[in-house]
Amino acid sequence: MIVTDSVTDVPTPTGPMRTYFYAPHEPGRPPTARPGLVLYSEIFQQTPPVRRLALQFASLGYLVAVPEVYHAHEPAGCVLGYDDAGKDRGNALKQIIPMSDFDADARAAVDTLLGHRACNGSVGAVGICLGGHLAFRAALLPDVRATACFYPTDLHTGTLGKGGGADSLARAKDVRGELLMVFGRQDPHVPGAGRRAIYDALESAGAWFTWHEFNAAHAFLRDEGERYDPSTARLAIGLAADLFRRAL
């Protein structure tokens, strides 16, 4: 199986959202409609590690869409660096975008997948860091059947978005699909008390979820840098692959 890529500017209420599509293709066989995945990046948008993660999921047989979450504030194609300037800019942007804009973008991304000729009408979401939280928000949409959230930041504090009043956990009862929650125990962004708050909220809401904690740091899925944990990343992606195979 090979993976082809393309770029589309998806219309949203706040302007076009550059979105990267990765589609599996088996040479010599007719095109097959497949489940779709919205893949949400870290605060840096589509960096090379995020692109490689998208390729991995596409190689498992999914049509993957990677939207630029800061499209209303940065030019199309913007990639923030894994440095202090990039972190500062990304963290600043996630605090000024209204949650209603994040949610409208999720609706636009899911609708685009549902209308894509290569999608069979079944859609899931996956995200890392900021993207883990945005994937959780996407899970609030009734069309999203399964969601994998890797170390979602600001979920336990509700501090994402303009005004810092995200109601994500309070709306956990609205999630209709299955959730996979994955954390690193040595992640200072989602400490033990925060993880317990997330677990308790999901349990109280009656959510259908599985829960995994590994001895790993924040961003252990990012395949570059000192925090990358290849063996744990392989296990975590395998868990997501199993979820999507069952639920999509």
Side-chain angles (χ1 to χ4, degrees):
M1 181 181 291
I2 63 173
V3 175
T4 61
D5 60 352
S6 60
V7 180
T8 299
D9 287 336
V10 174
T12 78
T14 54
M17 178 171 64
R18 177 63 50 88
T19 304
Y20 304 87
F21 287 86
Y22 299 91
H25 173 63
E26 296 180 89
R29 294 188 177 184
T32 301
R34 301 175 183 275
L37 286 178
V38 182
L39 191 160
Y40 286 102
S41 69
E42 310 159 293
I43 60 172
F44 309 99
Q45 301 207 117
Q46 190 187 237
T47 60
V50 170
R51 184 179 188 277
R52 289 191 288 269
L53 186 61
L55 288 168
Q56 284 195 65
F57 280 111
S59 74
L60 295 173
Y62 301 98
L63 172 65
V64 180
V66 184
E68 289 187 344
V69 296
Y70 299 144
H71 65 87
H73 301 271
E74 294 288 353
C78 171
V79 177
L80 302 177
Y82 288 133
D83 53 22
D84 288 340
K87 286 187 288 186
D88 290 346
R89 179 60 174 162
N91 282 320
L93 286 170
K94 75 176 186 178
Q95 299 297 331
I96 66 174
I97 298 174
M99 288 308 302
S100 58
D101 289 355
F102 280 131
D103 292 342
D105 289 351
R107 181 72 267 175
V110 169
D111 284 346
T112 298
L113 277 174
L114 289 171
H116 199 289
R117 66 181 182 280
C119 182
N120 66 4
S122 183
V123 174
V126 56
I128 51 177
C129 189
L130 163 70
H133 192 156
L134 294 180
F136 189 94
R137 296 294 298 195
L140 300 175
L141 297 171
D143 309 278
V144 176
R145 300 184 182 182
T147 301
C149 301
F150 294 105
Y151 38 91
T153 54
D154 306 313
L155 186 58
H156 65 289
T157 60
T159 52
L160 178 63
K162 186 176 182 179
D167 60 351
S168 305
L169 281 184
R171 294 184 58 194
K173 63 182 181 301
D174 295 332
V175 177
R176 293 291 175 262
E178 185 173 350
L179 292 169
L180 167 69
M181 310 298 293
V182 180
F183 301 90
R185 294 185 62 249
Q186 287 73 48
D187 182 351
H189 298 286
V190 196
R195 297 195 300 274
R196 285 189 290 274
I198 296 170
Y199 184 96
D200 289 345
L202 296 179
E203 183 76 10
S204 177
W208 189 254
F209 71 101
T210 56
W211 187 274
H212 301 270
E213 295 187 13
F214 295 101
N215 285 312
H218 186 72
F220 69 81
L221 275 175
R222 186 195 301 160
D223 66 359
E224 61 180 57
E226 62 184 13
R227 288 178 288 179
Y228 177 46
D229 187 329
S231 60
T232 302
R234 185 172 60 250
L235 287 170
I237 292 172
L239 291 168
D242 178 67
L243 166 67
F244 296 139
R245 184 171 55 249
R246 289 187 290 103
L248 298 182

